[in-house]
Amino acid sequence: MANRAQFSSRIGFILAAAGSAVGLGNIWGFPTQAASNGGALFLIVYLLMVFALAYPLLVAELMIGRYGQADPMTSLRKIWPAQRALMGLVGLAGMLAVSLILSFYAIVAGWLLGYLIAPLCELVGLTQVAQWLETFGVARNLLLMLAFMWLTVMVVRSGVTNGIEKWSTRLMPVLLILFVVMVIYILTQEGAMDGLQLFLIPDPSHFSPKLIVSAMGQAFFSLSLGVCTMMVYGSYLSKSANLPKTAAQVALLDTGVAFIAGLLILPAMFVAQNNGVAIYDASGALLASDTLVFSVLPAMFESMGGVGILVSTLFFVLMVIAALTSSISMLEVPVSCTIEELGQSRHKAVWWIGCIIGVIATVIVVNFESLFGFVVTMTTAYAQPIIGLLFAILVGWIWHRDKVLAEISAGYPDVQSSLFWRIWPWYVRIVCPILMLLVFFVQ
Ligand code: PFF
């Protein structure tokens, strides 16, 4: 397409891609997984997974998109023109997976929206509304999910530069500042040091093969890999950008935020315990992750008195912002396919896809017990790593090495003499697939 949209600046791209990566996975998933998997031990394995597996695949996915300069289905077909139908199917699989991820993500983000609004309702005397917003129920889950989907649709409707890039560059700095303020506050509270200790001092007794699998899944989810999201963002990236460097910046930002979230959530749990909130169950294990964020933290905020409302609002604003910069990147995948494959206008595509995902999310809300966990596991534990593996095989085995080199060289002219080029091609070709298969067998 001659006048396809593009991110207007490199920093705009980095903040948008980091915005996609930084989300509930970092602020909720990572710290709670760390808390129940030996703290620092999980942190170490996770860091290994990010740099040994996720980063090389992030470069690969961004590269397919930038080479294609088109929606993911078309970009994939350009990599292997002889297998157009098969490549279209792979793109379709990514698109379906990301739509399902968005449908459960919007439900959780909706809860966060509820926890954000509830204390404010309470403040103005709407106690019953506040209670309703914080109590699990079909109507409440549905309404809040739809509200969050509406926010996502509104941003994506405005397009790449005026919607996604504009809101990511506005929201990401706010998120980082809010985060640092919260960490400083929490670390001055009594009990915080116990949480810090758990997070920073490894306990090898927790080591198990399962921990490696969890860390890999977490790394894939956190970097938004294997579902064409990074591919579609890569397709809006200018040819002059240095891909390995840009991907490294995105991965570092994402990992940095996960680390800071650990500095916030783990100490916060122990501060909560200090304030009389239970964080262990009867058997002595840490409470499940949803209980941690949705009951331990609010209980802690409540025990803080007046300032608690402020801290709670800050925390949930942070969560909603993080979720929104991720959800817009998810919605962009099916939207870009609909615009470019079916020739629809952005406006129409966004509303149609937004409604379809809203309907899928409604089905999940109504059958929550049987569907929610199932969809989460199918998409994050299976679809993301398997499709990610397919991308690695495509880049490593199918795509001609000279073309890969030409694509990277576009924004990195002396790449051929770099350490990156000596390692990365065979690494994606051999090491990444073997590592991923090993992890699958362990599972
Ligand atoms: N990376 C996001 C997070 O950590 O919350 C989740 C995510 C975004 C997954 C976009 C997949 C995706 F395509």
Side-chain angles (χ1 to χ4, degrees):
M1 267 195 194
N3 53 357
R4 206 166 169 273
Q6 228 180 40
F7 286 108
S8 67
S9 66
R10 224 170 63 81
I11 185 73
F13 171 79
I14 291 172
L15 289 177
S20 166
V22 172
L24 304 182
N26 302 61
I27 311 181
W28 179 26
F30 173 77
T32 47
Q33 287 232 36
S36 31
N37 283 307
L41 185 70
F42 187 81
L43 173 65
I44 294 170
V45 180
Y46 176 74
L47 290 178
L48 274 175
M49 281 294 162
V50 168
F51 291 101
L53 201 58
Y55 167 69
L57 292 178
L58 175 61
V59 178
E61 209 175 315
L62 287 173
M63 201 185 296
I64 298 178
R66 199 185 60 170
Y67 173 76
Q69 295 287 306
D71 69 284
M73 289 167 92
T74 306
S75 296
L76 285 163
R77 288 190 198 111
K78 286 188 182 170
I79 302 291
W80 199 5
Q83 294 288 342
R84 284 181 56 82
L86 184 67
M87 291 299 94
L89 274 182
V90 174
L92 197 66
M95 191 175 98
L96 278 179
V98 84
S99 305
L100 286 173
I101 293 179
L102 179 53
S103 57
F104 79 72
Y105 208 81
I107 299 174
V108 180
W111 296 337
L112 297 168
L113 215 50
Y115 277 92
L116 167 64
I117 309 167
L120 307 175
C121 289
E122 188 128 17
L123 208 59
V124 295
L126 296 171
T127 316
Q128 271 185 335
V129 179
Q131 249 167 19
W132 183 78
L133 284 170
E134 289 185 343
T135 315
F136 193 92
V138 173
R140 165 263 201 181
N141 291 353
L142 213 56
L143 187 83
L144 291 172
M145 176 276 288
L146 289 173
F148 183 79
M149 272 310 291
W150 181 79
L151 283 177
T152 307
V153 161
M154 282 304 155
V155 176
V156 178
R157 204 185 58 155
S158 306
V160 178
T161 8
N162 282 330
I164 295 175
E165 181 174 353
K166 188 158 110 190
W167 281 98
S168 299
T169 38
R170 276 183 188 169
L171 295 178
M172 284 302 286
V174 179
L175 181 129
L176 293 176
I177 294 169
L178 280 183
F179 234 146
V180 173
V181 172
M182 297 255 333
V183 171
I184 294 173
Y185 175 79
I186 281 292
L187 289 182
T188 59
Q189 300 298 299
E190 204 148 325
M193 290 308 136
D194 294 335
L196 209 55
Q197 218 165 29
L198 173 62
F199 188 46
L200 298 178
I201 302 175
D203 172 3
S205 69
H206 273 85
F207 189 80
S208 71
K210 200 132 179 27
L211 184 127
I212 304 180
V213 179
S214 310
M216 181 180 90
Q218 180 61 34
F220 263 79
F221 186 71
S222 194
L223 279 176
S224 314
L225 293 177
V227 282
C228 303
T229 302
M230 287 302 178
M231 200 180 288
V232 79
Y233 272 19
S235 76
Y236 301 132
L237 182 58
S238 114
K239 288 279 183 193
S240 64
N242 177 331
L243 279 176
K245 187 171 151 200
T246 312
Q249 285 163 330
V250 172
L252 279 175
L253 259 174
D254 182 60
T255 312
V257 172
F259 183 75
I260 302 177
L263 291 180
L264 176 68
I265 305 283
L266 276 83
M269 284 163 34
F270 287 85
V271 173
Q273 189 181 37
N274 213 282
N275 292 350
V277 179
I279 60 170
Y280 292 100
D281 65 16
S283 67
L286 266 172
L287 291 176
S289 56
D290 52 342
T291 327
L292 277 177
V293 170
F294 294 114
S295 55
V296 171
L297 291 180
M300 179 187 79
F301 297 141
E302 214 152 281
S303 69
M304 287 176 172
V307 69
I309 295 195
L310 184 71
V311 182
S312 153
T313 311
L314 279 183
F315 178 76
F316 286 109
V317 164
L318 192 86
M319 295 283 265
V320 171
I321 291 178
L324 188 63
T325 52
S326 297
S327 64
I328 55 180
S329 74
M330 296 184 218
L331 185 58
E332 183 61 18
V333 176
V335 163
S336 76
C337 288
T338 312
I339 295 175
E340 294 176 32
E341 299 284 323
L342 303 178
Q344 297 297 319
S345 70
R346 173 167 287 270
H347 184 85
K348 230 182 183 168
V350 169
W351 277 112
W352 266 104
I353 306 278
C355 286
I356 294 173
I357 293 175
V359 170
I360 302 175
T362 304
V363 174
I364 299 178
V365 165
V366 175
N367 302 284
F368 193 84
E369 289 298 317
S370 53
L371 282 185
F372 185 80
F374 176 74
V375 174
V376 174
T377 312
M378 288 316 279
T379 50
T380 61
Y382 294 99
Q384 282 196 286
I386 291 173
I387 303 173
L389 177 64
L390 292 180
F391 294 160
I393 292 173
L394 270 177
V395 171
W397 294 90
I398 307 290
W399 205 1
H400 199 283
R401 199 180 150 98
D402 293 347
K403 287 199 172 151
V404 178
L405 181 61
E407 182 53 40
I408 293 204
S409 306
Y412 187 179
D414 42 3
V415 68
Q416 214 168 350
S417 55
S418 69
L419 184 65
F420 180 85
W421 186 249
R422 250 173 278 155
I423 298 176
W424 183 81
W426 65 264
Y427 195 89
V428 173
R429 189 177 164 98
I430 307 203
V431 182
C432 286
I434 292 182
L435 271 180
M436 292 175 75
L437 288 175
L438 269 182
V439 174
F440 265 115
F441 279 117
V442 166
Q443 202 168 20

